[in-house]
Amino acid sequence: MGNTAVVVGGGIGGLATAVGLRRIGWDVTVVERAPVLGDAGAGISLAANGLRALDELGLGKAVRDASRGQYSGGTRTPRGSWLTRMDGAALEKAVGTPIMGIPRSTLHRLLRDALPSEALLIGSEAVSVEQTGPGTVRVDCGGTVLDADVVVAADGIGSTVRGHLFPDHPGPVYSGSTVLRAITEQAVDLRTDFELTWGRGAEFGHIAFHDGRAEWHAVLNLPAGTRFADPLAELRRRFHTWHGAIPALLNATRPAAVLHHDVNELRTPLPSYTVGRIALLGDAAHAMTPNLGQGACQALEDAVTLAAALATGPTVEAALARYDAERRPRSQAVARAARQAGRMGQQLSHPLAVALRNTAMRLTPSRAATRMILRHHTWVPPQLD
């Protein structure tokens, strides 16, 4: 009998892990509590590190074919003046690819389609996960009980499994920002592939897709739980004086398409990503703010690293120790950098602080800005084949 794994959570990290484990010959079941994998969500940017991970999973070409390279754009002020310009060609020259923009639903579908339907246990919640013996972990899904050699908890920022493994950990906390986002109903005439606009305590950004539509997001400094009766009307009110692309994006959006979520993070780092034969992965292990666009990329790194460790480790225990040693320092460092980027970017609200930041950004040479981006993009995955 071959090795078996249960992955708790059918998001990007969980599905990528299942694909990776199947590539090394494991039998995998993904347990997802949602009754339907609806491929929900807005847009996502994939940097070179995430794309390299997808290459190892055998999905790199399909994802690139469904994506649009982010060559032009940068960061602007509400009036439209440029603070920095993005040089996608320089990034491509340095790491082999520009950042790619893709609808989250498309990425999710490509990952799901790489798995046989019998590997997906949809509409089942992992009620409990416990190690029942030296080499067996049991997942109780209510009416179904699964025994496995390894369980991977990829059940998101509110991870139930993480709560059981680390009951004293404070869990996720509110970052101070809330985000509204959507994908436009139709194509929008945009002059750039990617933009961020920073005001005082507010950000508006967009990612253009290959079919001409675009994802936009608005980040606001507001108390946790703030919601609006008419989110689109509220955003039009807040951003109506900002430069022209922003009203155009809002006008191309159906009100029902707007998603609204508070931005939470695991501010207190976990002491380990593994307990026995249970591994935490993705947001369950290191949920971070979106300021560097690295959340999904880090989950993809996790998936490939875990599969490679289990493929080559002398024992499962040794492989999980290697996974923890390789992933925890890097992902937690990226999370800290994302938090700092938010504090120096969208979250700044004092006029003097904003002015100083804007001046510093204008004076930063483009090569220096590119080097800062590359700091997180140059990861090279272990080989699965």
Side-chain angles (χ1 to χ4, degrees):
M1 181 180 294
N3 291 307
T4 60
V6 172
V7 177
V8 180
I12 288 172
L15 294 175
T17 301
V19 173
L21 292 178
R22 283 181 55 83
R23 285 182 72 87
I24 65 169
W26 282 52
D27 182 37
V28 186
T29 301
V30 178
V31 177
E32 169 55 50
R33 65 182 178 183
V36 177
L37 288 179
D39 297 338
I44 192 170
S45 291
L46 293 171
N49 54 319
L51 291 164
R52 290 194 191 102
L54 288 163
D55 287 336
E56 284 302 315
L57 297 176
L59 293 170
K61 183 180 186 305
V63 170
R64 287 179 175 85
D65 288 346
S67 305
R68 172 169 165 170
Q70 297 175 14
Y71 287 98
S72 61
T75 306
R76 306 174 79 173
T77 69
R79 292 188 176 183
S81 63
W82 290 99
L83 297 173
T84 62
R85 293 269 195 171
M86 181 179 71
D87 190 343
L91 283 175
E92 184 174 32
K93 183 177 180 181
V95 292
T97 179
I99 299 170
M100 305 295 289
I102 185 172
R104 182 178 287 269
S105 61
T106 302
L107 176 59
H108 193 272
R109 176 178 52 79
L110 290 170
L111 288 164
R112 187 191 67 223
D113 289 350
L115 296 168
S117 59
E118 60 268 22
L120 302 173
L121 190 58
I122 308 304
S124 294
E125 184 171 1
V127 178
S128 66
V129 177
E130 60 177 331
Q131 188 149 339
T132 55
T136 305
V137 187
R138 175 163 293 175
V139 181
D140 184 351
C141 303
T144 304
V145 175
L146 302 171
D147 288 327
D149 298 299
V150 169
V151 167
V152 181
D155 51 342
I157 187 170
S159 171
T160 300
V161 178
R162 184 189 63 236
H164 289 319
L165 297 179
F166 298 100
D168 295 329
H169 188 274
V173 297
Y174 182 53
S175 68
S177 299
T178 193
V179 59
L180 297 92
R181 54 165 66 92
I183 294 178
T184 60
E185 181 74 2
Q186 65 267 351
V188 184
D189 183 17
L190 298 170
R191 297 181 180 179
T192 58
D193 301 316
F194 169 84
E195 281 187 21
L196 294 178
T197 301
W198 282 346
R200 292 173 52 188
E203 170 185 300
F204 197 100
H206 77 250
I207 303 168
F209 297 143
H210 72 96
D211 62 0
R213 296 181 303 150
E215 183 262 11
W216 57 259
H217 70 266
V219 189
L220 306 170
N221 289 352
L222 290 170
T226 301
R227 294 297 183 267
F228 307 111
D230 187 338
L232 205 54
E234 177 66 20
L235 294 178
R236 288 194 179 104
R237 184 187 70 80
R238 288 174 178 264
F239 293 102
H240 76 279
T241 62
W242 290 34
H243 60 85
I246 293 172
L249 286 161
L250 295 176
N251 289 336
T253 303
R254 288 186 303 110
V258 180
L259 306 173
H260 189 176
H261 299 97
D262 289 341
V263 180
N264 297 312
E265 60 172 327
L266 282 187
R267 191 170 299 163
T268 301
L270 288 173
S272 177
Y273 287 177
T274 64
V275 175
R277 288 189 169 215
I278 304 169
L280 294 167
L281 184 142
D283 282 352
H286 47 68
M288 60 190 68
T289 63
N291 302 94
L292 294 179
Q294 276 288 315
C297 290
Q298 291 302 303
L300 293 168
E301 287 188 19
D302 290 347
V304 172
T305 302
L306 178 60
L310 288 169
T312 58
T315 65
V316 168
E317 289 76 13
L320 294 179
R322 172 182 157 191
Y323 164 73
D324 179 60
E326 292 186 9
R327 291 305 305 147
R328 188 156 46 90
R330 171 168 165 79
S331 59
Q332 289 178 351
V334 173
R336 288 193 300 272
R339 186 181 311 120
Q340 183 63 22
R343 289 173 177 169
M344 297 303 296
Q346 163 265 323
Q347 288 189 325
L348 279 186
S349 58
H350 192 282
L352 179 58
V354 170
L356 289 172
R357 183 219 39 220
N358 290 357
T359 299
M361 291 181 69
R362 288 190 176 101
L363 294 176
T364 300
S366 60
R367 288 184 179 180
T370 299
R371 282 197 301 271
M372 291 176 66
I373 295 173
L374 291 176
R375 191 167 45 128
H376 305 296
H377 293 196
T378 52
W379 176 83
V380 176
Q383 294 186 348
L384 296 184
D385 296 326

